[in-house]
Structures are given as structure tokens and as C-alpha cells.
Amino acid sequence: MTNDHTYKVFFINYGIYVAILVILFGILLYPVKVGQKAWQKNLKANIEFVLDESEPNSWTVGNSVKIKNPFSMNSACYEVRNRKSGDTYKSVIIRVQTFYGPMPAVFTIDKDNNVEFVGYSSLHGRISEQITSNKTNKRINYWKSKIPSIIQ
């Protein structure tokens, strides 16, 4: 009889422990899920700003495109449409290492997988022009070659 009682106490204590763990994980995951929508909205706004800065009133940013590989932790992809030509593109914002530290870079990709670097999201004006004027930037060229495989 005491053996059955010890099993009963063990399973009750084990159930309480598992319930506490489930509640703690739920509390930790809730802010992540709530913040995900705001995160997507702010990334979309950053892409809009960079595209609008390079070509004013030419781009409309649409829905996000899910990236199905590990690069989704450092990048986001959105559908964009050029208002003037009506063509649809994809735009990717990805963390790129620069001389000044990691910065979010924005690229556009057409339907033929031609990638164009648009600019950095965190740099604007004269500073941005000075940093992005280097057309032989090896890091930018590296990401230009990698982005088509990232978004597929």
C-alpha cells in the first residue's frame, strides 16, 4: 500500500512540475508572438523608406514572403511593385557586415533573379551616398549572388 502511495505522490509532483514548465514557456512565447507582427510592420516601413529614398513615389511594398531557410533569422523578404512600370519584384532586407559594423541592407530582385543593391536602412543622406558609392564592394557583391538562393 505504501508503494502505491509513493507512486501517486510522485506523479502528482511530476504533474505539478510539468504544468509549471508549460506555463513558464507559454509566458515566454507570448511576447514573441505578439511582437512578431510589429517586427514585420517595422521592417516593411524600413524597406519602403529606403526604396522611396532611392526612387521617390515609385514603389509599393506588399506582403511579406516567408524565407524557408536559416537566413530567416537575419533577413526578411517582401513583395514590391514598381508603380511606374507595374513590374513586381521582391525586396530583401538583410544584415550585412560593413566597415562600420552590421547594417541592414535592402536589395531588390526581379523575376529573372537579377539583384540590385538599393541602400542601407540605417544610413541616409550624404553619409549613405559616400558608403554606397563604392561599386566594387565585395560584401555587397557576395550578398547579390546569395540572395536568389536565400529567397527560394
Side-chain angles (χ1 to χ4, degrees):
M1 193 120 156
T2 58
N3 201 12
D4 288 340
H5 180 68
T6 56
Y7 283 131
K8 187 175 183 181
V9 169
F10 170 76
F11 284 119
I12 289 172
N13 289 338
Y14 186 71
I16 291 170
Y17 175 73
V18 169
I20 289 171
L21 284 179
V22 168
I23 290 169
L24 285 175
F25 281 122
I27 289 170
L28 291 174
L29 288 177
Y30 179 73
V32 171
K33 280 303 201 185
V34 169
Q36 192 172 19
K37 193 172 275 192
W39 182 258
Q40 292 291 330
K41 180 180 158 190
N42 290 333
L43 286 175
K44 181 179 178 178
N46 283 343
I47 289 175
E48 280 179 358
F49 189 79
V50 172
L51 290 173
D52 200 40
E53 191 173 48
S54 71
E55 294 179 55
N57 299 320
S58 296
W59 297 95
T60 303
V61 180
N63 297 326
S64 69
V65 176
K66 187 157 178 80
I67 298 175
K68 300 174 185 165
N69 61 40
F71 283 103
S72 65
M73 298 301 293
N74 292 321
S75 62
C77 181
Y78 289 86
E79 296 172 345
V80 293
R81 187 178 62 79
N82 189 316
R83 291 180 189 155
K84 294 177 182 174
S85 66
D87 294 335
T88 58
Y89 296 81
K90 289 182 181 173
S91 184
V92 173
I93 185 167
I94 190 165
R95 187 180 316 165
V96 173
Q97 184 64 31
T98 67
F99 181 73
Y100 304 101
M103 293 192 183
V106 177
F107 296 87
T108 56
I109 304 99
D110 66 8
K111 61 184 173 191
D112 297 325
N113 284 335
N114 296 319
V115 180
E116 181 183 335
F117 173 67
V118 180
Y120 292 107
S121 171
S122 57
L123 295 176
H124 307 290
R126 188 173 54 149
I127 296 170
S128 176
E129 289 174 20
Q130 288 176 346
I131 292 176
T132 59
S133 65
N134 183 5
K135 299 299 180 193
T136 60
N137 189 335
K138 291 181 181 179
R139 289 182 182 100
I140 295 298
N141 292 335
Y142 169 80
W143 286 110
K144 280 178 154 182
S145 67
K146 286 296 252 187
I147 285 177
S149 63
I150 290 172
I151 63 171
Q152 290 182 356

